Amino acid sequence: MHIGDKLTIELITTEDGSPSLYLPHLLETYHSRHGAVREAMHVFIQNGFRHVAPQFSVVEILEVGFGTGLNALLTCQESTLAKQQVRYTTIEKFPLNKEVYEAIHYGTDRELYLELHQAEWEKDVLIHNHFTLHKTHDTLEKFESKHTFNLVYYDAFGPPAQPEMWTPELFKKIFDMMAAGGVLVTYCAKGQVRRNLQSCGFLVERLPGPPGKREMLRATKP
């Protein structure tokens, strides 16, 4: 499969049976090979959404990296179960083309998954009564928002592939867009990333990581 004319994408199956994508030119997968769904549930749902949701009547989420749409899908499902209002803003510079996302299957909620991908960009789209999606085709550097976020899913490719995405400058930009008590979660637990987050004012916790990773990070704005 290809994005555009040049970049090859390989569809892979991770250890929990769920799919992910591999980019040979970056030597990067979109999710952990130890389990795409398992990783997303642990990092973003269990230690992010479920941690934050009880504190806010509406959870304003910013996702850095829409990718395959897995985090949005799981969050949409969670918001339905919890009857929790969610406004979900997601930034993606390189959206997957139709051929690629239609080849991906995450369980039985196929209609919802496709609806998320087919939702119009650059506008609010009501997916269901508890979940509004806003996809923006942009970079984090240029992104601006009128919303203040309670929860940030930081799901960019890792520092070896995208070092520019893990700088103090970008973390400070996110810090300034967050509400007091807001939380950022990421699978990446590198020491330099932790120090960069702390330099912006975040209180940073090391938490047990998903299978295959010893730790993850959760950063809270005081």
Side-chain angles (χ1 to χ4, degrees):
M1 290 182 232
H2 298 80
I3 296 178
D5 298 323
K6 297 179 180 179
L7 302 184
T8 298
I9 287 182
E10 297 178 10
L11 181 64
I12 63 171
T13 301
T14 62
E15 288 182 9
D16 66 358
S18 60
S20 187
L21 299 172
Y22 173 64
L23 299 179
H25 68 288
L26 291 178
L27 301 178
E28 281 279 330
T29 56
Y30 275 63
H31 311 95
S32 170
R33 290 181 179 271
H34 294 276
V37 169
R38 191 158 52 193
E39 176 191 48
M41 285 295 300
H42 180 88
V43 175
F44 301 108
I45 302 302
Q46 179 179 326
N47 288 297
F49 185 77
R50 292 175 183 169
H51 175 74
V52 166
Q55 305 172 49
F56 302 99
S57 58
V58 179
V59 183
E60 291 274 0
I61 298 177
L62 173 64
E63 179 188 39
V64 180
F66 182 65
T68 67
L70 176 57
N71 294 334
L73 174 66
L74 295 175
T75 305
C76 190
Q77 292 170 335
E78 282 284 313
S79 70
T80 303
L81 292 172
K83 293 182 169 54
Q84 171 69 56
Q85 290 292 328
V86 171
R87 177 185 159 81
Y88 195 100
T89 301
T90 181
I91 306 170
E92 180 56 65
K93 185 178 180 180
F94 300 108
L96 298 179
N97 64 37
K98 185 177 180 181
E99 178 190 9
V100 175
Y101 71 69
E102 285 191 343
I104 297 171
H105 292 263
Y106 289 119
T108 57
D109 211 340
R110 182 74 173 155
E111 184 176 341
L112 174 59
Y113 179 73
L114 293 177
E115 186 177 1
L116 295 169
H117 274 280
Q118 293 164 1
E120 190 172 346
W121 289 75
E122 312 303 340
K123 67 177 292 185
D124 290 352
V125 179
L126 184 65
I127 301 298
H128 66 63
N129 290 339
H130 296 97
F131 189 92
T132 300
L133 176 68
H134 187 103
K135 299 189 297 185
T136 184
H137 188 187
D138 207 346
T139 62
L140 180 56
E141 292 89 341
K142 296 179 180 179
F143 174 71
E144 300 292 340
S145 177
K146 298 177 182 178
H147 296 272
T148 302
F149 299 102
N150 315 119
L151 177 59
V152 177
Y153 293 166
Y154 208 83
D155 202 16
F157 288 124
Q162 286 190 311
E164 72 279 5
M165 294 299 297
W166 302 87
T167 64
E169 293 76 16
L170 282 189
F171 287 144
K172 181 61 165 63
K173 179 174 184 174
I174 288 175
F175 183 90
D176 291 341
M177 290 192 291
M178 292 174 66
V183 165
L184 178 151
V185 282
T186 180
Y187 65 88
C188 183
K190 288 184 178 295
Q192 189 59 57
V193 170
R194 176 175 53 82
R195 290 187 289 273
N196 288 349
L197 286 164
Q198 290 172 329
S199 74
C200 301
F202 283 108
L203 304 176
V204 184
E205 306 170 79
R206 292 189 186 99
L207 301 175
K213 287 188 67 68
R214 188 166 60 89
E215 295 178 328
M216 58 164 284
L217 297 180
R218 183 166 66 201
T220 302
K221 180 174 180 175

